[in-house]
Amino acid sequence: MGAVYKAYDSEIGRVVALKLVRPELAINPQTMRRFKQELLLASKISHKNILRIHDLGDLGGIKFITMAYVEGSDLAGLIDKQGRLPFDRALKYTRQLCAALEAAHNEGVVHRDLKPQNILIDQSDNIYVSDFGLAKSLEAATTMMTRTGQIMGTPRYMSPEQVEAVEADHRADIYSLGLIVYEMFIADIPFRGDSAMQLMYQRVNEKPKDPRIAMPEMPDYLAEIILKCLEKDPALRYQSAREILDDLDAQAPLPPARTVASTMISAAPVSSAPKPGSATISIQIPKPNRRWGVGAAAVLLIVATLFTIPATRRWFVGAPSSAPKHLAVLPVKFLGDDSQKYIADGVAESLTAKLSELKGLFVASGESVESAMKLGDPSRKAGRHFVAADHGAVVRR
């Protein structure tokens, strides 16, 4: 959403991190409301393991946020560089993450995008949770509902309820915490997929792998804590971060304090290939208010997921070749109250958008499809229409 610089704030007399919002986003009212929300919500939380935000400002049309500067790395870079973390160190980070979430949740703030990239580590080996940019107040949750549902977060660390675009509370952070703790000890997450859509599908339909499979020496109590965080049903998870801390304290008392001179984090950037589903996404989908609408959303997710599987994709669009493939998504047939037709339209539009991301595949726009459908028989006349419009395009049904 922007660029971050190391800067000196002459007003407060200290070095800060300066986040500049991209100009094209700064003129978007929704984006700026999100940044203001980030400042207001984070300013309510006072905890040593949460990154402090100082100010939100505007200078000559340039929107910016200043926040505490941390000399070090982030947890994602550390895991990429070192793999599995030493047991005591990972356990220490787990406790600090739980303490930070407890403080935030006690203020009614949900992060909603907790991931290793948002966890900074300073040179004293302490962590700071940052970027509450997707957080929202629990008190306002009941007043922010609209006709449009929203999938928002990072697929690699997203809770099942976020994937399904249903109401998510602080227990979504507990789920994300479970994935992060799993990754600190195993250097991977308990789901494996080549795309964000595959990870999202698995999150809803498959059980996470037991961490003891990859790490047989892991104590049973720790594995059970992680798996309880990763329960699909929020009611079966820990209901608060304090409960996790209590279970940790009962099984693994705090070790004596000591200086961690050998675990200083290099400030040099870590170069690694991005993991599937590690980017934050925001997808607007129609929010169903009838049972059949839930089915429509499920069909969209299943079909989009199937297209991420190479074998299935080849069945639809053929084997890879140098010649580009062309595809048109025909309108979804709608049965029911006309006031709900927007859901069917949304399924077609969302599926078209997802298919457009596939390499070597050109997907006809909705306008082109609508124009072609007016010609009558879509399998013949529409096909010739796309051939003429797209210089040799072929419509596959």
Side-chain angles (χ1 to χ4, degrees), residues 365-382:
S365 66
E367 293 80 4
S368 298
V369 173
E370 184 178 353
S371 175
M373 292 297 292
K374 293 178 181 178
L375 298 175
D377 180 4
S379 65
R380 294 182 179 271
K381 295 179 181 179

Side-chain angles (χ1 to χ4, degrees), residues 74-85:
D74 60 41
L75 183 58
L78 179 64
I79 295 174
D80 285 341
K81 185 177 181 180
Q82 297 190 8
R84 296 182 182 181
L85 302 187

Side-chain angles (χ1 to χ4, degrees), residues 159-161 164 169 171-172 174-175 203-204 206 208 227-239:
S159 68
E161 55 268 35
E164 295 181 304
D169 56 23
R171 292 171 295 184
I174 299 294
Y175 188 96
R203 202 64 46 81
V204 175
E206 297 181 9
L227 291 173
K228 187 172 180 179
C229 289
L230 297 179
E231 288 284 356
K232 177 184 173 182
D233 184 353
L236 299 178
R237 291 176 212 151
Y238 286 103
Q239 300 301 291

Side-chain angles (χ1 to χ4, degrees), residues 317-339:
V317 301
S321 68
S322 57
K325 301 292 183 179
H326 296 258
L327 186 84
V329 178
L330 300 183
V332 176
K333 188 174 182 180
F334 175 78
L335 299 174
D337 183 2
D338 285 344
S339 67

